[in-house]
Amino acid sequence: MSKGLPKRSEDYSLWYNELVKKADLAENSPVRGCMIIKPYGFAIWEKMQAKLDQMFKETGHSNAYFPIFIPKSYLSKEADHIEGFAKECAVVTHYRLKQAEDRSGLVVDPEAKLEEELIIRPTSETVIWNTYRNWIQSYRDLPLKLNQWVNVVRWEMRTRLFLRTTEFLWQEGHTAHATREEAKEETLKMLQVYTDFVQDYMAIPVIQGIKTESERFAGAVDTYCIETLMQDGRALQAGTSHFLGQNFAKAFEVKFATREGALEYVWGTSWGVSTRLMGALIMAHSDDKGLILPPRLAPIQVVIVPIFKNEEQLEAISAAVQGIVHQLKERNISVKYDDRDTHKPGWKFAEYELKGVPVRIAMGPRDLENSTAEIARRDSSEKQTCNQQDIGSTVQHMLSGMHNSIYQKALKFRDQNITTVDSYENFKEVLDTRGGFVRAHWDGTIETEQRIKDETKATIRCIPINEEAKAGICIYSGKSSSQQVIFAKAY
RNA sequence: CGGGGUGUAGCUCAGCCUGGUAGAGUACUGCCUUCGGGAGGCAGGAGCCGAGAGUUCGAAUCUCUCCACCCCGACCA
């Protein structure tokens, strides 16, 4: 393991890239734009998955699986949907390879051309709604609330590990309802599930909002989102929940008989979060020493490092450590005892700081004499000496305190970096100097939004849904505006 | 697809201008001393110098062609 990480203040982007690699989260794959998620990175993703999956089940959803291949014709059925995804689809055209004539390798067998080309799912609305047509006949079949954990492919031009990759992992929920109200309620309920998860588990504050027409999901009536702010002042969309109206039901002829016997189109929603959350997790909290993981998602919550000169010392320390491990496991705290003699304590300290392990316990001969241990917090770098018998409770308090502490820190940062502006001059100045979220009045037109984007690279992240709408004047056009919206430069 | 850059040890790179036995740091292997914040010494293994063609007695180095990757722009969760 090489030493040192670039400093955030010097090159934030490089810091992120290096951190992802050095903390053993992920690396680039032989295929451009794809990533190899390493065991440590995947362990974090698994913890996210486990909690989210539980939350989905608790809100009445079931998991299912739909195929990765989608007939090309399906994509064409919803007009806006084609528009949004056509440009980034990977397409399967053949089903066989053969030996080249000159034996130089394998070539695509031109004889094996598919009758209908298949696209690799960029999202699964089409195949799912095509299936829902067969599953839904009556109001008794509704609501239908499914989720799937899968990979999807969107052929991106520029990629970055976790933040934007050609293939990524996500979950996509797809629900069907009898009424508009119920579907809207579902859309907002899942937005709230995401909000709770990101705030309570990832320790990142969010702004809930609704997307403008140009940022809306292709095929949705409304797209709701949660927006987060990274340490460099750029925004990151952490999750989206779409109210699909009857768009897909109409495209795929999904109708149901009402209680009264009338035939009506079904109302739909879809919602997803992806491995991009890993990017948010990394960028929201970590420092120049490495990752800072919120305790509830850390694969290892506590690491114990023995400090010893010889075999006898190690044995004596190990015996005392067993009691500590027991105390921690009793409290469902995940703990790793690193008694390797191949690395020195200082090396291990740096290593676990790089990997964001929330609490480190060090125990050496001096501690052994005093029945103590040294406990260090990753987020604040504070160290304290603790009696061995109190370690379980001390660590437990420390972990929950740490969650609150990093959340509060992120919240304070976020709030300090929301700037309200009343003029375009001021708007540009804020974007150029401090970045962050910029709250401003907007006249509601695509033209204004586009011009601002072209001139400043800032986009409308969302129209907040938890703020009182106050009328005003658009900073760009001077026309009337019904509400302030949130602008930012975004990932 | 435009504009710029880079390909040499697992990784980061020097060497190229001015052709002459393939280098450093780090990582790796072994031994000794160390061990409360990324230790030190000694020894060792490691390379089709991106690919092909050319010039030359001789090419990592000069010439040409190709390929790959990275950065900056146009698209996006």
Side-chain angles (χ1 to χ4, degrees):
Chain A
M1 182 61 56
S2 51
K3 305 172 192 178
L5 202 57
K7 296 207 180 331
R8 286 166 298 171
S9 56
E10 285 167 13
D11 191 338
Y12 192 83
S13 177
L14 186 64
W15 167 81
Y16 174 83
N17 293 340
E18 289 295 307
L19 178 52
V20 169
K21 288 177 196 155
K22 290 194 166 146
D24 272 337
L25 301 177
E27 62 188 47
N28 287 301
S29 83
V31 177
R32 187 191 130 80
C34 294
M35 63 179 162
I36 293 163
I37 305 177
K38 299 178 77 174
Y40 190 62
F42 202 76
I44 299 170
W45 175 242
E46 282 181 312
K47 294 208 81 165
M48 292 187 181
Q49 270 188 303
K51 184 60 204 177
L52 282 164
D53 199 63
Q54 181 196 346
M55 293 170 90
F56 299 155
K57 305 258 170 74
E58 280 167 1
T59 44
H61 304 86
S62 304
N63 284 334
Y65 185 80
F66 292 81
I68 191 171
F69 298 122
I70 299 178
K72 196 178 73 180
S73 60
Y74 281 26
L75 201 70
S76 338
K77 293 197 178 175
E78 212 288 331
D80 292 334
H81 201 62
I82 319 169
E83 195 67 23
F85 287 106
K87 282 174 287 182
E88 51 191 47
C89 284
V91 186
V92 180
T93 56
H94 293 76
Y95 57 85
R96 193 194 298 145
L97 297 171
K98 65 172 191 178
Q99 193 70 240
E101 298 289 333
D102 60 3
R103 297 258 143 190
S104 60
L106 291 170
V107 293
V108 172
D109 185 348
E111 302 287 301
K113 193 163 162 50
L114 288 170
E115 294 232 343
E116 176 168 10
E117 291 163 347
L118 301 172
I119 61 164
I120 299 177
R121 62 179 163 225
T123 180
S124 304
E125 273 77 7
T126 57
V127 61
I128 287 178
W129 281 90
N130 186 65
T131 307
Y132 279 4
R133 179 177 59 239
N134 300 323
W135 290 358
I136 299 168
Q137 271 100 41
S138 140
Y139 70 92
R140 291 177 179 141
D141 299 321
L142 297 172
L144 182 53
K145 307 203 304 183
L146 299 185
N147 175 65
Q148 63 174 359
W149 288 96
V150 297
N151 59 340
V152 289
V153 167
R154 296 180 189 175
W155 213 265
E156 301 288 352
M157 306 268 186
R158 297 200 57 206
T159 58
R160 289 187 77 192
L161 291 172
F162 291 121
L163 295 173
R164 176 166 294 106
T165 46
T166 297
E167 179 194 28
F168 57 95
L169 306 183
W170 77 345
Q171 58 70 217
E172 43 179 326
H174 297 272
T175 70
H177 306 266
T179 65
R180 177 190 181 90
E181 292 65 38
E182 194 182 301
K184 278 232 118 174
E185 193 183 312
E186 167 80 5
T187 309
L188 289 169
K189 183 195 284 171
M190 298 323 288
L191 186 74
Q192 192 57 43
V193 165
Y194 289 154
T195 301
D196 292 345
F197 174 75
V198 172
Q199 297 190 155
D200 297 346
Y201 287 81
M202 297 178 67
I204 304 174
V206 309
I207 293 180
Q208 295 183 325
I210 188 163
K211 288 290 188 188
T212 62
E213 188 183 338
S214 58
E215 297 277 331
R216 188 185 295 157
F217 173 73
V221 173
D222 287 319
T223 288
Y224 291 86
C225 61
I226 48 175
E227 293 288 329
T228 61
L229 189 64
M230 301 297 103
Q231 292 181 61
D232 63 344
R234 293 178 73 185
L236 189 134
Q237 177 179 302
T240 50
S241 183
H242 314 292
F243 170 62
L244 301 175
Q246 295 173 310
N247 289 352
F248 284 91
K250 285 177 179 167
F252 287 88
E253 284 294 318
V254 186
K255 293 180 189 175
F256 73 103
T258 65
R259 200 179 286 265
E260 293 77 30
L263 265 189
E264 287 180 9
Y265 287 112
V266 167
W267 298 84
T269 81
S270 67
W271 27 274
V273 293
S274 70
T275 35
R276 180 180 243 202
L277 287 179
M278 292 285 293
L281 189 70
I282 296 158
M283 285 197 293
H285 306 303
S286 305
D287 63 19
D288 291 348
K289 288 196 288 188
L291 278 181
I292 292 179
L293 294 176
R296 288 170 196 162
L297 294 178
I300 301 166
Q301 293 172 308
V302 178
V303 65
I304 304 176
V305 177
I307 293 153
F308 58 96
K309 286 196 173 86
N310 52 48
E311 196 69 23
E312 294 89 290
Q313 278 189 350
L314 177 60
E315 273 174 34
I317 292 166
S318 294
V321 163
Q322 288 324 304
I324 296 172
V325 168
H326 180 72
Q327 284 185 53
L328 295 171
K329 283 190 172 165
E330 247 183 352
R331 291 173 155 84
N332 282 319
I333 295 167
S334 60
V335 52
K336 172 175 172 172
Y337 176 42
D338 186 352
D339 61 353
R340 288 178 296 173
D341 61 2
T342 50
H343 295 284
K344 291 180 56 185
W347 190 93
K348 292 177 186 174
F349 291 176
E351 177 73 3
Y352 291 109
E353 278 162 5
L354 183 61
K355 291 194 160 188
V357 175
V359 173
R360 179 189 72 228
I361 298 174
M363 193 189 287
R366 285 206 300 272
D367 291 303
L368 213 51
E369 272 178 41
N370 305 327
S371 293
T372 58
E374 180 195 78
I375 307 183
R377 262 179 79 145
R378 175 62 184 90
D379 64 331
S380 63
S381 298
E382 288 163 349
K383 291 179 190 175
Q384 58 175 272
T385 300
C386 179
N387 282 322
Q388 283 174 25
Q389 71 219 26
D390 301 331
I391 284 182
S393 59
T394 304
V395 168
Q396 188 161 38
H397 285 122
M398 193 178 275
L399 288 172
S400 62
M402 206 177 303
H403 174 88
N404 293 331
S405 165
I406 63 177
Y407 178 79
Q408 287 303 328
K409 189 177 172 198
L411 180 64
K412 189 175 164 201
F413 175 82
R414 200 272 313 269
D415 287 344
Q416 283 173 346
N417 285 284
I418 303 180
T419 315
T420 302
V421 301
D422 287 317
S423 74
Y424 193 49
E425 287 310 307
N426 200 206
F427 178 85
K428 287 190 285 194
E429 193 197 325
V430 170
L431 280 174
D432 285 343
T433 52
R434 53 199 310 225
F437 289 131
V438 186
R439 195 194 278 118
H441 276 291
W442 163 63
D443 64 18
T445 66
I446 294 181
E447 294 72 34
T448 298
E449 182 182 10
Q450 186 63 43
R451 288 209 182 113
I452 293 175
K453 182 179 174 182
D454 292 343
E455 290 172 24
T456 67
K457 297 208 165 77
T459 52
I460 299 179
R461 300 321 303 153
C462 68
I463 304 161
I465 54 176
N466 299 318
E467 285 180 16
E468 210 178 315
K470 279 181 288 187
I473 293 168
C474 174
I475 53 158
Y476 190 86
S477 66
K479 292 179 191 161
S480 67
S481 152
S482 58
Q483 189 180 354
Q484 287 179 327
V485 300
I486 303 287
F487 286 88
K489 290 183 186 168
Y491 276 100

